[in-house]
Amino acid sequence: MNSPNSPSTAPRYPAPELNDLPDDIKAKILEVQEKAGFVPNVFLALARRPAEWRAFFAYHDAIMLKEESGNPNGSLTKGEREMIVTTTSAANGCLYCVVAHGAILRIYEKKPLVADQVAVNYRKADISPRQRAMLDFAMKVCLHSDQIEEADFEALQAHGFDDEDAWDIAAITAFFGLSNRMASFSGMQPNPEFYLMGRLPKAPRPA
């Protein structure tokens, strides 16, 4: 018997049609489609509630696209931000976010194996000691945020992270805790395109 969230059953929360959306949301989604070549399912799934969509993506952009959002704090690279998302989303059992953000992680880091590695066991992954310390902190925020103490900040500082970086790690982890739960409870499925992105090097262009 199919579960309520099985891909083969009708969705409980069907995504709205693009042309039925408010103009500002439609324009942003079309920008994403132009850049990526497809529309990630999260953009349409959350658009059923436009006010929440705007709030969600405003906060997403503030913590994940700092250069574009004008927020200068912190030193995390784009790849490190995606590494946090992929690792903590796996801990939360979120299929959509692991697959989608794992794809972006592979592209930013130019490492085809890294997303699978950090999703399964980041302590055994081919990442730097700095990144491992970052993920130690992220996972403690993810699973035991009430137990964060001074020693956790000191462990980050030993690898060159400051208090603003710690805030970023925590904010990304917490925000995607929300995203993970919304995606999982609603049965959101990753786009097929995400599964193969960044796994093989691009073929060189003909001379």
mmCIF file of all heavy atoms in Angstrom, residues 10-17 44-45 48:
data_model
loop_
_atom_site.group_PDB
_atom_site.id
_atom_site.type_symbol
_atom_site.label_atom_id
_atom_site.label_comp_id
_atom_site.label_asym_id
_atom_site.label_seq_id
_atom_site.Cartn_x
_atom_site.Cartn_y
_atom_site.Cartn_z
ATOM 1 N N ALA A 10 -1.573 10.983 -5.332
ATOM 2 C CA ALA A 10 -1.829 12.408 -5.543
ATOM 3 C C ALA A 10 -1.325 13.192 -4.334
ATOM 4 O O ALA A 10 -1.540 12.787 -3.192
ATOM 5 C CB ALA A 10 -3.318 12.639 -5.744
ATOM 6 N N PRO A 11 -0.639 14.310 -4.548
ATOM 7 C CA PRO A 11 -0.094 15.063 -3.415
ATOM 8 C C PRO A 11 -1.197 15.678 -2.564
ATOM 9 O O PRO A 11 -2.218 16.131 -3.078
ATOM 10 C CB PRO A 11 0.752 16.146 -4.091
ATOM 11 C CG PRO A 11 0.172 16.285 -5.462
ATOM 12 C CD PRO A 11 -0.312 14.922 -5.840
ATOM 13 N N ARG A 12 -0.974 15.677 -1.272
ATOM 14 C CA ARG A 12 -1.919 16.319 -0.360
ATOM 15 C C ARG A 12 -1.926 17.834 -0.568
ATOM 16 O O ARG A 12 -2.948 18.496 -0.431
ATOM 17 C CB ARG A 12 -1.541 15.993 1.083
ATOM 18 C CG ARG A 12 -2.517 16.563 2.122
ATOM 19 C CD ARG A 12 -2.077 16.207 3.532
ATOM 20 N NE ARG A 12 -2.120 14.777 3.763
ATOM 21 C CZ ARG A 12 -3.207 14.109 4.164
ATOM 22 N NH1 ARG A 12 -4.345 14.752 4.345
ATOM 23 N NH2 ARG A 12 -3.152 12.809 4.368
ATOM 24 N N TYR A 13 -0.745 18.367 -0.886
ATOM 25 C CA TYR A 13 -0.606 19.805 -1.091
ATOM 26 C C TYR A 13 -0.089 20.059 -2.511
ATOM 27 O O TYR A 13 1.103 20.286 -2.716
ATOM 28 C CB TYR A 13 0.365 20.401 -0.074
ATOM 29 C CG TYR A 13 -0.069 20.207 1.358
ATOM 30 C CD1 TYR A 13 0.552 19.271 2.178
ATOM 31 C CD2 TYR A 13 -1.112 20.966 1.889
ATOM 32 C CE1 TYR A 13 0.156 19.099 3.494
ATOM 33 C CE2 TYR A 13 -1.523 20.794 3.208
ATOM 34 C CZ TYR A 13 -0.889 19.862 4.002
ATOM 35 O OH TYR A 13 -1.286 19.689 5.302
ATOM 36 N N PRO A 14 -0.958 20.013 -3.503
ATOM 37 C CA PRO A 14 -0.493 20.207 -4.882
ATOM 38 C C PRO A 14 0.089 21.598 -5.079
ATOM 39 O O PRO A 14 -0.405 22.589 -4.529
ATOM 40 C CB PRO A 14 -1.769 20.010 -5.714
ATOM 41 C CG PRO A 14 -2.896 20.240 -4.771
ATOM 42 C CD PRO A 14 -2.421 19.800 -3.424
ATOM 43 N N ALA A 15 1.164 21.671 -5.858
ATOM 44 C CA ALA A 15 1.811 22.954 -6.136
ATOM 45 C C ALA A 15 0.919 23.790 -7.042
ATOM 46 O O ALA A 15 0.255 23.259 -7.936
ATOM 47 C CB ALA A 15 3.162 22.726 -6.796
ATOM 48 N N PRO A 16 0.892 25.086 -6.837
ATOM 49 C CA PRO A 16 0.096 25.954 -7.713
ATOM 50 C C PRO A 16 0.724 26.055 -9.094
ATOM 51 O O PRO A 16 1.902 25.743 -9.291
ATOM 52 C CB PRO A 16 0.129 27.298 -6.997
ATOM 53 C CG PRO A 16 1.396 27.266 -6.203
ATOM 54 C CD PRO A 16 1.586 25.836 -5.786
ATOM 55 N N GLU A 17 -0.056 26.481 -10.038
ATOM 56 C CA GLU A 17 0.454 26.736 -11.382
ATOM 57 C C GLU A 17 1.244 28.047 -11.382
ATOM 58 O O GLU A 17 0.846 29.020 -10.729
ATOM 59 C CB GLU A 17 -0.697 26.836 -12.381
ATOM 60 C CG GLU A 17 -1.456 25.535 -12.577
ATOM 61 C CD GLU A 17 -0.605 24.461 -13.228
ATOM 62 O OE1 GLU A 17 0.279 24.819 -14.041
ATOM 63 O OE2 GLU A 17 -0.810 23.276 -12.911
ATOM 64 N N LEU A 44 7.873 26.071 -6.105
ATOM 65 C CA LEU A 44 6.444 25.999 -6.377
ATOM 66 C C LEU A 44 5.678 25.448 -5.176
ATOM 67 O O LEU A 44 4.577 25.911 -4.868
ATOM 68 C CB LEU A 44 6.174 25.141 -7.606
ATOM 69 C CG LEU A 44 6.519 25.779 -8.953
ATOM 70 C CD1 LEU A 44 6.337 24.776 -10.081
ATOM 71 C CD2 LEU A 44 5.652 27.016 -9.211
ATOM 72 N N ALA A 45 6.257 24.483 -4.481
ATOM 73 C CA ALA A 45 5.546 23.867 -3.359
ATOM 74 C C ALA A 45 5.206 24.896 -2.284
ATOM 75 O O ALA A 45 4.091 24.902 -1.744
ATOM 76 C CB ALA A 45 6.384 22.733 -2.774
ATOM 77 N N ARG A 48 2.283 28.092 -2.539
ATOM 78 C CA ARG A 48 0.852 28.008 -2.244
ATOM 79 C C ARG A 48 0.466 28.990 -1.138
ATOM 80 O O ARG A 48 -0.702 29.317 -0.980
ATOM 81 C CB ARG A 48 0.458 26.574 -1.878
ATOM 82 C CG ARG A 48 1.138 26.028 -0.630
ATOM 83 C CD ARG A 48 0.881 24.532 -0.443
ATOM 84 N NE ARG A 48 -0.546 24.250 -0.455
ATOM 85 C CZ ARG A 48 -1.319 24.355 0.623
ATOM 86 N NH1 ARG A 48 -0.803 24.757 1.774
ATOM 87 N NH2 ARG A 48 -2.598 24.063 0.545
#
